[in-house]
Amino acid sequence: MANNVFDLAELRKLIDEQADVPVRVPVDREALTFPPVLLAPDAELARQVPAVPLVADAIRLATWTGSRAVTSEGFLLEPDAAAAAKELGLIPSRLRLGWIVAVNTGLLRIQRGTASRGPLSLQLAVEATLEFWDGVVMDVLDRADTGLTGSTVVDGHLAEMLATIYSVRSGVAIANLARGLLQSHEVACDPGQATMRRLAATLPSELLEALSLLTYCGLVEQTAAGRTALTPLGVWAVRRDLLREGHDAPTAAEVEVFADLTAEQLVEELVRGKVTQSAVAGWLERRPPEQAAADLIRIAASGTAGQRGAVGAVLEELGPEAESPLRQALDLPLMRRYAASWLHIRDLEAPALSSDDHTWIAVDSLAALLHMSGQGAARIDAPEPGEDLIKLVAEMPGLGHPDTIAVLDMLATAHDDEAVVRAARKAAMKARSLVHLTPGPDEARGSTKLG
């Protein structure tokens, strides 16, 4: 363990290796943060849906089908499929995709081996139209698992590629997309040099075909500069998919709500779990780093463990330009350990932290989880204690942390491992026996009543 470096994931892993602690919120460690986007008005987006070539073809195919027998797999019989392709001017792969969309969205209904007009009305309200569009895109993305674009590389990294384009509103050059796909494929599949050379030769043309299909599906378009960008409908749909996967993908309006909050208001919202990573970034962009850090430290220096956890997470977003207020925080009893760690991580001169300091931050971080919820708890950066949980529990009573008893009670009541429960109960009794002693400087400030 580095002398001043801490990792919340390691602390949580230490706890989870012995049992679940239900009071904390499980966090998907792979959740990503995407830049805020401007969405077109819903009514404007809804008007664009029927004009998407895939949607228009699905509607035409449903009308053409009328009532017809289908195969056991629910597709048109071969002669009918050939006739539909010819009369509607569709290549077989797009005919099949249009059929899947028509059936899954309710344009067509299949019963007892016969396809007929489905229950979906062609006159939908705005919200219903966008839900329909969301279903269309889900059908398209789901097809990547069985072969959508004809390229195994593109299909295997389709969601990742769309997320990349989503992140760059001005569009991405096709050469950069191809390079990114190759790198992702190499990392994920380790295909070997010979295969990579072959893919490097074939992927550019495969990518062009794939982008043509995604254009047909209404997701991407070419900019005037020749880059690939998402359409307005594509931005809406990809954002919906990112949110479904648990990622932070805000709109510009959502982030703007938090930009003008005071530091106190921001911390309060963080503790409540109402602020995302992107909103924090927007808040910091409006303020000089030194001022932002000073305002946040002032709150944490006399606040609760939850407030310290929230402030610590925001401070991690700042670079060396915020050094001055962090260095001043070395003189603040409740912040000195966090400040030393912050300085050390950025290769700035910092005092060393003792083993007791490490354990104190572990207790503080566990206490913060008791205060915070949702995304607030996900943002806390806490220590890796470097030893098993039972030993850590035994060290807690003598630290003088104001929330020691609350943390020990939480472990004693919520932990499934009987050894941890016994150790926590014993330590809690010892901590209570010490409360009559004169409080130290860390105890006298920022103490918290939980429950």
Side-chain angles (χ1 to χ4, degrees), residues 108-122:
L108 286 172
R109 177 184 348 209
I110 297 177
Q111 289 181 320
R112 299 186 181 88
T114 300
S116 59
R117 185 74 182 85
L120 184 70
S121 170
L122 294 181

Side-chain angles (χ1 to χ4, degrees), residues 402-435:
D403 291 325
T404 296
I405 294 175
V407 168
L408 290 170
D409 285 345
M410 176 269 290
L411 291 173
T413 57
H415 211 282
D416 291 337
D417 187 276
E418 187 58 32
V420 174
V421 170
R422 287 197 302 269
R425 286 174 179 167
K426 181 179 179 180
M429 291 176 62
K430 181 178 180 181
R432 285 185 170 92
S433 72
L434 298 175
V435 295

